[in-house]
Amino acid sequence: MSEDYSFLPPLQAEIATVIGLYATMKLAAEWGGCEIYIPAHAPNDHWLVRSIGREATDGLCAYFAARIEGDGRRAHHGVKITLPLGQAGSREKARRQAIELLDKGASLKEAARGSGLHQRTIQNIRAKLRNERAGASTALARKSS
């Protein structure tokens, strides 16, 4: 009988059935909200192995590896997934952290990891900041004319 992970978001629950709750929560805490690539096989120095260990990484890679038939050979490919968020704290605190990181020049992925928000949310925050700042610059230019 498998564990019941219905209290988790669907993708997290799916991952937990493969690698267990502890490794799933560790992965979410470190990479939640980020789009990550799960290879068909990860070498020993891969970030996944360093994050959740060899056994959990092997299980995750095997589970997500897409097997494509073609030319009489079977090729193994990985897959990109967006991990559900881990425990990120308050939403407003996370947004403030994201803005601070973006202002310091962080990439989308760095801002997502540092704030606990999805990369797509970071993209939206960055676009809104650019629009607001462009509008403020235009307003200042009009006042000084």
Side-chain angles (χ1 to χ4, degrees), residues 25-32 34 47 50-52 113:
M25 293 297 98
K26 189 164 179 7
L27 193 60
E30 293 179 15
W31 293 93
C34 294
W47 66 267
R50 290 190 306 269
S51 178
I52 60 173
R113 289 191 69 200

Side-chain angles (χ1 to χ4, degrees), residues 19-145:
I19 65 173
L21 185 60
Y22 177 77
T24 301
M25 293 297 98
K26 189 164 179 7
L27 193 60
E30 293 179 15
W31 293 93
C34 294
E35 182 179 82
I36 62 169
Y37 179 76
I38 306 291
H41 176 73
N44 287 333
D45 63 343
H46 195 273
W47 66 267
L48 255 175
V49 176
R50 290 190 306 269
S51 178
I52 60 173
R54 176 86 262 162
E55 186 178 339
T57 298
D58 288 345
L60 197 62
C61 291
Y63 182 78
F64 280 107
R67 291 168 176 84
I68 302 170
E69 302 287 338
D71 298 333
R73 295 183 295 149
R74 197 161 82 173
H76 298 276
H77 301 278
V79 65
K80 280 186 179 181
I81 62 170
T82 300
L83 282 175
L85 293 172
Q87 299 301 321
S90 80
R91 196 114 169 109
E92 190 53 40
K93 180 181 175 187
R95 287 180 183 278
R96 284 193 305 270
Q97 180 66 27
I99 291 168
E100 184 179 315
L101 289 166
L102 289 170
D103 284 344
K104 290 180 180 177
S107 69
L108 292 174
K109 187 173 281 189
E110 290 166 340
R113 289 191 69 200
S115 66
L117 297 172
H118 280 277
Q119 280 181 227
R120 284 171 274 172
T121 303
I122 301 296
Q123 284 175 311
N124 292 337
I125 290 171
R126 184 175 65 181
K128 186 175 180 180
L129 286 172
R130 285 180 179 165
N131 287 339
E132 288 173 358
R133 289 173 180 166
S137 295
T138 303
L140 283 175
R142 286 184 196 152
K143 279 187 176 182
S144 62
S145 299

